Amino acid sequence: MRVFSGIRASGDKTLGNYSGGFRQYVRTQEEAAAAGGEAVFCVVDMHSITTPFEPEVLRESTLSVFAWLIATGLDPDRSIVFVQSHVPAHSEGAWLLGAVTAFGELRRMTQFKERADEQDFVSAGLFTYPVLMAADILLYDTDVVPVGDDQRQHVELTRDIAERFNQRFGETLVVPRGVYPEEGARVKNLQEPDRLMSTTRGAPQGVVRMIDEPDVIRKKFKTAVTDSGREVKHDPQEKAGVSNLIEIMAVATGASIAEVESRYDGAGYGQFKEDVGEAVVTLLTPFRERYDELRSDEGALLGLMKRGAENAAGVANPTLDRMYERMGFVRA
Ligand code: TRP
């Protein structure tokens, strides 16, 4: 059983990215191992150039996302963790799969339509993005693709592409299955609990970054917005701020919402906010220390990337060879 996850390198590295991203990847790693399988994690840098980008930002965010993946618990000895552009089979595979992808299918992709509407310059790469994503998945004989609901259409297209390839050229590719896990807590801005925690929008004081020092984190929680009541009760409609803090406490400690509520029954907001801050410091500090260590030695980090790429190529290259051969390419 093989699980494949594609991870976009973004600038955002907040508590929200931990809750909705890094934490889930570690879970995927453990679940794959428990099922006697293997998980593959790919930083999809080649997808990043399909919308406007800056070279320095691409470079920095690739290094940073990779380091965070390791720092938060992906284990290069048990999983394959690598950068897409380090394994040329991805771009080659995408080209081959272009032969069994219809123009009309790509034109129907809602993500393409949405993104294209946001841009002055709509690149050809944005249009063929789903074909590269299909190559990512299919090169690894992937059984399961855990993704957000927004990627459902792309995974369905990947299945259609695989089936079409198999029909046309003979059984070659494993047809993968998408799984769409319930999104866990969606962490909100501590100052504006009606919007998601993001570095691109919202009050910076309400954004907990994964690189924040302990005292910075404590202060952000101390000044978090609550309400005029005093009950630590989960009620996202009426008590957005407090509910967000309860959810963060649950993420940081592994407790359930109900457990957090009962533990703080009658405690008042002051103590609660302080404790949530402390729990987040305890959660993030080891990650940040490991991250700093990884970023302080770029040679070692590149070495980890190289090892991941070698492991990835060991799986992807034989699949790519099979594709070339079945399609009638002369292999010298
Ligand atoms: N398109 C995915 C996203 O936006 C990222 C991605 C690229 C991906 N290749 C993938 C996800 C392969 C799963 C499998 O989130």
Side-chain angles (χ1 to χ4, degrees):
M1 204 266 306
R2 200 175 274 123
V3 184
F4 187 97
S5 295
I7 298 142
R8 261 186 311 190
S10 73
D12 267 46
K13 304 296 177 320
T14 68
L15 186 59
N17 297 109
Y18 174 74
S19 171
F22 298 111
R23 184 173 66 130
Q24 311 292 347
Y25 301 136
V26 175
R27 189 171 293 172
T28 298
Q29 168 176 267
E30 304 312 326
E31 285 171 0
E38 175 183 46
V40 180
F41 300 92
C42 174
V43 177
V44 293
D45 58 343
M46 295 203 299
H47 280 112
S48 299
I49 65 167
T50 59
T51 47
F53 73 101
E54 291 302 328
E56 318 83 74
V57 177
L58 175 61
R59 181 184 156 74
E60 167 56 28
S61 51
T62 304
L63 290 166
S64 156
V65 161
F66 186 89
W68 279 120
L69 287 170
I70 305 293
T72 51
L74 292 191
D75 179 353
D77 289 326
R78 295 162 62 218
S79 300
I80 299 180
V81 192
F82 74 107
V83 176
Q84 189 183 33
S85 66
H86 295 175
V87 180
H90 289 249
S91 45
E92 288 181 65
W95 183 256
L96 300 188
L97 293 175
V100 287
T101 310
F103 176 83
E105 285 176 314
L106 293 178
R107 196 174 41 191
R108 280 197 293 277
M109 292 291 123
T110 50
Q111 191 163 48
F112 169 72
K113 289 189 268 189
E114 285 165 17
R115 292 260 169 91
D117 281 341
E118 293 163 6
Q119 248 89 235
D120 295 329
F121 179 83
V122 179
S123 70
L126 185 65
F127 189 66
T128 54
Y129 179 117
V131 189
L132 179 58
M133 178 163 162
D136 296 341
I137 296 167
L138 298 175
L139 283 169
Y140 294 85
D141 292 337
T142 299
D143 303 292
V144 174
V145 187
V147 278
D149 205 48
D150 64 326
Q151 297 299 309
R152 196 179 279 268
Q153 210 183 15
H154 291 159
V155 175
E156 288 305 312
L157 176 64
T158 300
R159 290 169 55 87
D160 292 343
I161 290 173
E163 276 163 7
R164 196 171 299 136
F165 190 104
N166 289 343
Q167 256 160 34
R168 175 83 174 77
F169 304 111
E171 279 308 311
T172 310
L173 302 171
V174 173
V175 180
R177 185 163 59 83
V179 299
Y180 308 92
E182 272 297 306
E183 284 203 50
R186 311 252 290 154
V187 176
K188 313 291 192 317
N189 186 304
L190 303 183
Q191 294 293 325
E192 299 167 73
D194 49 348
R195 63 162 82 218
L196 288 176
M197 187 178 281
S198 153
T199 49
T200 46
R201 259 168 260 149
Q205 176 67 12
V207 179
V208 179
R209 292 165 178 266
M210 289 176 68
I211 40 152
D212 281 344
E213 297 284 337
D215 279 343
V216 175
I217 296 177
R218 290 188 184 104
K219 189 150 175 226
K220 285 177 178 173
F221 279 95
K222 244 174 225 156
T223 55
V225 163
T226 49
D227 53 67
S228 55
R230 43 166 309 158
E231 249 194 303
V232 178
K233 197 169 167 303
H234 193 256
D235 179 354
Q237 293 305 316
E238 301 297 323
K239 300 163 78 74
V242 169
S243 301
N244 187 37
L245 291 170
I246 294 175
E247 287 173 24
I248 291 172
M249 190 64 150
V251 168
T253 62
S256 69
I257 304 275
E259 281 164 352
V260 178
E261 284 177 334
S262 72
R263 197 175 307 155
Y264 287 92
D265 192 18
Y269 291 159
Q271 184 65 49
F272 179 54
K273 289 202 282 187
E274 204 173 306
D275 287 5
V276 181
E278 215 47 51
V280 171
V281 167
T282 303
L283 171 76
L284 293 184
T285 298
F287 298 153
R288 183 176 48 82
E289 285 171 358
R290 180 98 180 93
Y291 176 80
D292 286 344
E293 199 179 305
L294 287 160
R295 290 307 306 271
S296 69
D297 184 351
E298 195 163 301
L301 189 62
L302 297 178
L304 278 178
M305 287 180 164
K306 196 162 173 193
R307 189 163 127 222
E310 280 163 10
N311 292 337
V315 182
N317 289 348
T319 313
L320 182 68
D321 281 339
R322 240 160 45 221
M323 291 167 66
Y324 273 122
E325 271 158 25
R326 298 279 161 82
M327 291 176 84
F329 285 92
V330 174
R331 311 293 280 158

